[in-house]
């Protein structure tokens, strides 16, 4: 399919007289889509049951008349002030029991059924009015579920719903007591009504209790979303989308995505580098104005899976954001590069956030394609250039990647609940494996742990996967190189230790002891690299492939199944990936720092994240440079 560009627009922020000029300018920039409406509840329903769709009708007329396709948002991320009068108990409560108050956004509790119904009714109203209007080509439901740490809520509504959820999951209180091991510290419960939420306990709550609460909280997000899905499906055939946010892991995106047609996510590479990525000062400084070279690609691959092949970037950073501790500007060319990284990963649409910088409120320092007084920012010309590039390249396709990385939200929750070492973080571990594959120039598919058919993959990585019944057999059947560990398949669904560790029929190595290690401690590995953060002591029959300097097994092998006993540093990850690829005759690349490749069907794309010129394969790429070839012919 030929990729398209779009932009996020807030007609309610601007005088109506300028809408037509804005729309014409969007089209002139090469933008095809415009997303509107996702925060406009207070203007759509200024008072309870008094609706004002007139301005939105006119905005849709103007935008569609200019030739733009419209994504209409449901505004449930921003319940208006009057909603609180109707439902004083709808606010989410944080773990200390404090309300998340009105005055920003996302202040609702997912378990509050009154608010959930009100949000669904608003979706019905919008569906009634615009559901059969072909100018509304897609819907965005809510906005960034989970952003601002909003999935876990410790409200009364959550407590009531949690008890019902537990009863449905465990059936009897005895079954729950057994599953959770409540005999420990006399935590036995006599009834589901005795169970509270796992906050404000004297010391750590029972991990089984805490994990159950996280599973429940994820299901609440899915249920909240589903109420709007049902409202819209009954009234519209247009596609349903949600815009997820980077490294938000508190709900299962695969579960939620199953109800939608297209996944999308909001890509803020420079904000993420400083705000939500580990990394040493040298790395953060080298990529200060480019963002991490793999963070966006990881999410592109993740959302391609969540959307079952269909995904967008709904919001693309255009310049300095306002929300990170420091907010540098992208290097010239980066907005184009980020757009191409997305397109090369299969994005159907890349939509810039936002059209014009708002002169008021929280995001007045956040750049757009235009300044508040209508002057184009550098991103405007880069968006235009991407539109020209697309015209030259035409349709972009995707093939299956040789490498699969299994990514599993409940594993993140399990290790958050029971980290054992302060920095055992599931995302960080998975991302480290992913990065090593990117450094080797490989294409990667991210797959959910429910995958059973691995046909076509040459290398499957499943680091840190806590519990995945059935996966173990499927991996063994795949007859290709598989890497699991550390901690893989080591706990039950209730976060207790299974009778056999790891809980795998196919790993013969036994884990005799596990250690977590402070960040400044490294155990050197023979042949290069080291183990950090986590180390397991293995014994048993498997063949040792890599060991520490003192002879402790780090990588063992039983047939094609490899078990990783520690947390590798980057040097060791690079060795592991190269070794496993060599076994499969899978070619790898040695790339200059900051250069990344992506094969999109017959299109080969190279992207230079470095702030200096780079040379590769006979070509020179400037900082933030993008090159693309098809059939040996260079197109970009
Ligand atoms: C996103 C959000 C937008 C806007 C943007 C600013 O997280 O969806 O509404 O706040 O960040 O970077």
């Amino acid at each position: 399919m030929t990729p398209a560009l779009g932009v996020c627009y807030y007609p309610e922020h601007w005088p109506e007289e300028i809408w037509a000029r804005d729309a014409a300018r969007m089209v002139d920039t090469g933008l095809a889509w415009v997303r509107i409406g996702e925060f406009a509840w207070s203007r759509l329903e200024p008072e309870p049951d008094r609706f004002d769709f007139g301005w939105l009708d006119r905005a849709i007329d103007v935008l569609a008349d200019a030739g733009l396709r419209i994504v209409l948002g449901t505004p449930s991320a921003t319940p208006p002030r009057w909603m609180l009068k109707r439902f004083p108990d709808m606010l989410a409560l944080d773990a200390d029991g404090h309300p998340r108050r009105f005055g920003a956004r996302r202040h609702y509790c997912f378990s509050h059924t009154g608010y959930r119904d009100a949000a669904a009714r608003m979706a019905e109203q919008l569906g009634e009015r615009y559901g059969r209007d072909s100018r509304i080509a897609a819907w965005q439901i809510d906005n960034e579920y989970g952003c601002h740490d909003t999935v876990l809520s410790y409200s009364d509504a959550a407590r009531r719903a949690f008890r019902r959820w537990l009863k449905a999951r465990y059936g009897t209180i005895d079954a729950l007591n057994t599953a959770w091991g409540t005999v420990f510290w006399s935590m036995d419960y006599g009834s589901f009504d005795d169970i509270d939420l796992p906050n404000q306990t004297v010391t750590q709550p029972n991990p089984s209790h805490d994990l159950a609460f996280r599973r429940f909280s994820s299901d609440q997000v899915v249920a909240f979303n589903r109420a709007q899905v049902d409202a819209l499906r009954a009234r519209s055939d247009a596609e349903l989308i949600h815009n997820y946010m980077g490294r938000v892991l508190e709900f299962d995106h695969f579960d939620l995505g199953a109800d939608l047609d297209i996944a999308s996510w909001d890509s803020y590479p420079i904000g993420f580098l400083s705000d939500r990525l580990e990394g040493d000062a040298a790395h953060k400084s080298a990529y200060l104005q480019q963002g991490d070279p793999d963070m966006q690609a990881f999410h592109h691959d993740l959302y391609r899976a969540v959307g079952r092949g269909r995904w967008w970037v709904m919001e693309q950073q255009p310049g300095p954001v306002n929300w990170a501790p420091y907010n540098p500007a992208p290097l010239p060319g980066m907005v184009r590069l980020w757009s191409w990284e997305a397109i090369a990963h299969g994005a159907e649409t890349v939509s810039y956030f936002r059209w014009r910088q708002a002169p008021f409120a929280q995001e007045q320092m956040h750049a757009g394609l235009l300044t508040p007084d209508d002057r184009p920012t550098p991103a405007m010309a880069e968006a235009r250039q991407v539109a020209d590039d697309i015209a030259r390249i035409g349709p972009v396709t995707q093939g299956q990647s040789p490498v699969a990385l299994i990514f599993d939200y409940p594993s993140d929750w399990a290790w958050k609940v029971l980290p054992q070492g302060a920095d055992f973080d599931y995302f960080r571990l998975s991302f480290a494996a992913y990065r090593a594959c990117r450094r080797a120039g490989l294409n990667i598919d991210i797959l959910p742990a429910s995958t059973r058919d691995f046909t076509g993959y040459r290398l499957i990585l499943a680091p840190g996967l806590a519990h995945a019944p059935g996966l173990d057999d499927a991996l063994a059947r795949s007859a290709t190189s598989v890497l699991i560990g550390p901690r893989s398949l080591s706990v039950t669904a209730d976060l207790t230790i299974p009778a056999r560790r790891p809980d795998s029929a196919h790993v013969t190595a036994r884990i005799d002891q596990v250690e977590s290690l402070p960040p400044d401690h490294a155990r050197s590995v023979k042949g290069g690299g080291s183990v950090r953060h986590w180390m397991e002591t293995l014994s048993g029959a498997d063949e040792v492939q890599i060991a520490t300097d003192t002879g402790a097994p780090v990588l063992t092998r039983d047939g094609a199944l490899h078990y990783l006993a520690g947390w590798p540093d980057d040097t060791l990850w690079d060795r592991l990936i190269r070794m496993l690829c060599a076994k499969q005759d899978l070619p790898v690349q040695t790339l200059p720092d900051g250069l990344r490749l992506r094969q999109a069907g017959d299109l080969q794309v190279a992207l230079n994240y470095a702030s200096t010129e780079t040379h590769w394969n006979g070509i020179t790429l400037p900082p933030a440079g993008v090159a693309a070839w098809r059939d040996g012919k260079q197109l970009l």
Side-chain angles (χ1 to χ4, degrees):
M1 88 145 35
T2 302
L5 301 180
V7 73
C8 305
Y9 187 53
Y10 299 90
E12 70 276 23
H13 295 182
W14 308 105
E16 209 164 318
E17 312 82 82
I18 72 169
W19 293 353
R21 200 177 70 219
D22 281 344
R25 209 167 170 186
M26 289 173 197
V27 173
D28 187 52
T29 308
L31 308 177
W33 286 91
V34 60
R35 181 196 65 174
I36 56 172
E38 82 277 10
F39 299 129
W41 198 325
S42 68
R43 298 301 167 101
L44 291 171
E45 192 181 7
E47 291 164 22
D49 299 320
R50 184 169 73 75
F51 293 93
D52 178 4
F53 291 117
W55 68 268
L56 185 55
D57 291 349
R58 294 192 296 280
I60 289 170
D61 287 346
V62 167
L63 296 167
D65 286 353
L68 293 157
R69 277 176 285 169
I70 296 170
V71 182
L72 182 55
T74 70
S76 49
T78 47
R81 183 62 184 83
W82 56 255
M83 191 70 76
L84 261 176
K85 294 196 179 130
R86 186 188 278 179
F87 302 122
D89 58 346
M90 65 168 280
L91 297 178
L93 298 192
D94 71 15
D96 294 325
H98 299 134
R100 317 281 314 267
R101 291 191 196 285
F102 183 86
R105 61 179 170 184
R106 302 217 57 78
H107 41 281
Y108 67 87
C109 173
F110 282 101
S111 294
H112 193 282
T113 47
Y115 181 62
R116 184 187 300 178
D117 292 347
R121 268 199 306 277
M122 176 45 103
E124 281 169 20
Q125 292 282 341
L126 290 165
E128 286 294 322
R129 193 163 188 99
Y130 305 110
R132 305 288 169 208
D133 183 337
S134 60
R135 299 172 305 173
I136 309 300
W139 297 89
Q140 176 186 299
I141 299 179
D142 205 284
N143 189 81
E144 290 184 349
Y145 289 130
C147 191
H148 314 307
D149 197 10
T150 48
V151 170
L152 304 182
S153 164
Y154 299 85
S155 69
D156 288 343
R159 180 181 303 104
R160 284 192 299 273
F162 184 46
R163 289 172 180 169
R164 283 195 299 276
W165 185 92
L166 289 172
K167 187 156 183 11
R169 183 174 174 93
Y170 293 98
T172 66
I173 198 68
D174 286 351
L176 178 145
N177 282 324
T178 305
W180 288 12
T182 53
V183 60
F184 192 78
W185 288 353
S186 270
M187 293 183 294
D188 286 311
Y189 292 102
S191 137
F192 286 102
D193 290 335
D194 293 342
I195 302 177
D196 276 322
L197 300 176
N199 61 326
Q200 298 182 306
T201 50
V202 172
T203 182
Q204 184 195 7
N206 184 337
S208 304
H209 185 177
D210 206 351
L211 181 61
F213 177 61
R214 286 168 184 266
R215 290 188 192 280
F216 154 80
S217 300
S218 176
D219 287 356
Q220 295 302 91
V221 180
V222 174
F224 182 90
N225 182 68
R226 192 169 295 156
Q228 294 191 49
V229 167
D230 292 345
L232 291 172
R233 292 265 188 237
R235 293 168 181 83
S236 178
D237 295 325
E239 284 156 323
L240 305 186
I241 312 182
H242 176 69
N243 59 329
Y244 305 91
M245 183 52 159
R247 205 173 177 174
V248 165
L249 305 168
E250 289 79 17
F251 68 97
D252 193 323
H253 297 192
F254 291 111
D255 284 353
L256 191 124
D259 288 334
L260 301 174
D261 303 303
I262 301 175
S264 76
W265 82 288
D266 297 345
S267 176
Y268 290 93
I270 295 179
F272 293 148
L273 180 77
S274 64
D275 192 53
R276 56 188 71 183
L277 267 184
E278 300 82 1
D280 57 29
H283 179 78
K284 295 213 172 188
S285 156
Y287 294 105
L288 185 76
Q289 294 182 269
Q290 306 95 300
D292 182 272
D294 304 309
M295 177 74 165
Q296 291 66 247
F298 179 94
H299 286 84
H300 299 338
D301 286 328
L302 175 63
Y303 291 115
R304 197 172 59 252
V306 169
R308 300 175 304 285
R310 298 201 57 192
W311 73 279
W312 295 18
V313 172
M314 190 61 89
E315 299 179 13
Q316 174 62 64
Q317 177 170 359
V321 300
N322 63 301
W323 45 262
Y326 302 97
N327 297 294
L331 281 187
M334 279 318 290
V335 172
R336 174 175 176 245
L337 181 148
W338 295 328
S339 306
W340 270 102
E341 183 80 89
I343 291 169
H345 280 79
E348 295 179 8
T349 300
V350 176
S351 166
Y352 300 99
F353 181 92
R354 48 186 276 161
W355 176 244
R356 186 188 295 104
Q357 180 176 349
F360 41 68
Q362 280 92 330
E363 291 178 356
Q364 56 185 279
M365 301 299 289
H366 191 298
L369 297 185
L370 290 171
T371 59
D373 60 352
D374 262 351
R375 282 169 295 133
T377 64
M380 183 70 113
E382 293 191 31
R384 167 86 261 169
Q385 195 185 349
V386 177
D388 293 344
D389 293 341
I390 291 172
R392 187 160 337 130
I393 297 262
V396 176
T397 57
Q398 297 293 309
Q400 183 177 354
S401 300
V403 180
L405 172 72
I406 295 173
F407 189 75
D408 178 54
Y409 290 88
S411 294
D412 178 69
W413 313 334
W415 303 144
K416 287 246 165 63
V417 167
L418 200 62
Q420 179 66 5
D423 46 13
F424 195 103
D425 179 274
Y426 175 72
F427 177 91
R428 189 178 177 186
L429 179 65
S430 303
F431 187 47
Y434 179 89
R435 280 174 144 161
C437 295
R438 287 263 292 176
R439 284 194 295 269
L442 294 160
N443 267 25
I444 304 124
D445 288 346
I446 292 184
L447 303 177
S450 57
T451 308
R452 293 294 173 267
D453 180 4
F454 293 96
T455 311
Y457 289 108
R458 313 265 293 277
L459 172 60
I460 305 168
L461 307 171
L465 197 65
H467 171 80
L471 180 68
D472 184 34
D473 283 334
L475 290 175
R477 275 198 312 275
S478 74
T480 192
S481 280
V482 174
L483 179 73
I484 67 170
R487 286 191 106 168
S488 288
L489 310 176
S490 62
V491 293
T492 66
D494 292 301
L495 198 39
T496 59
I497 298 173
R500 189 180 181 285
R501 296 187 68 197
D503 189 19
S504 157
H506 302 282
V507 179
T508 50
R510 277 194 320 274
I511 299 165
D512 295 333
Q513 173 172 267
V514 301
E515 298 173 86
S516 59
L517 307 170
D520 52 359
H521 182 86
R523 300 225 171 127
S524 297
V525 167
K526 276 184 212 150
S530 63
V531 164
R532 311 184 75 101
H533 308 301
W534 187 265
M535 184 70 197
E536 299 172 3
T537 309
L538 300 188
S539 63
D542 291 351
E543 174 192 328
V544 178
Q545 301 247 290
I546 295 183
T548 63
D549 282 350
T550 58
V554 173
L555 184 78
T556 66
R557 184 179 76 94
D558 183 1
L561 183 66
H562 299 77
Y563 189 82
L564 184 56
W567 181 305
D569 66 3
D570 284 350
T571 307
L572 183 55
W573 267 123
D574 287 339
R575 276 182 65 197
L576 287 169
I577 296 302
R578 280 165 195 276
M579 189 184 110
L580 294 166
C581 287
K583 288 183 186 186
Q584 295 287 325
D585 291 327
L586 190 58
V588 292
Q589 306 277 342
T590 301
L591 299 173
D593 279 353
L595 188 75
R596 294 295 185 265
L597 305 177
R598 172 78 190 172
Q599 185 75 41
D602 57 358
L603 188 73
Q604 168 79 66
V605 181
L607 309 110
N608 182 20
Y609 283 84
S611 59
T612 50
E613 184 177 280
T614 199
H615 307 277
W616 179 76
N617 240 5
I619 58 152
T620 299
L621 278 158
V626 177
W629 301 260
R630 187 178 271 140
D631 303 328
K633 185 170 165 240
Q634 189 167 348
L635 301 172
L636 296 180

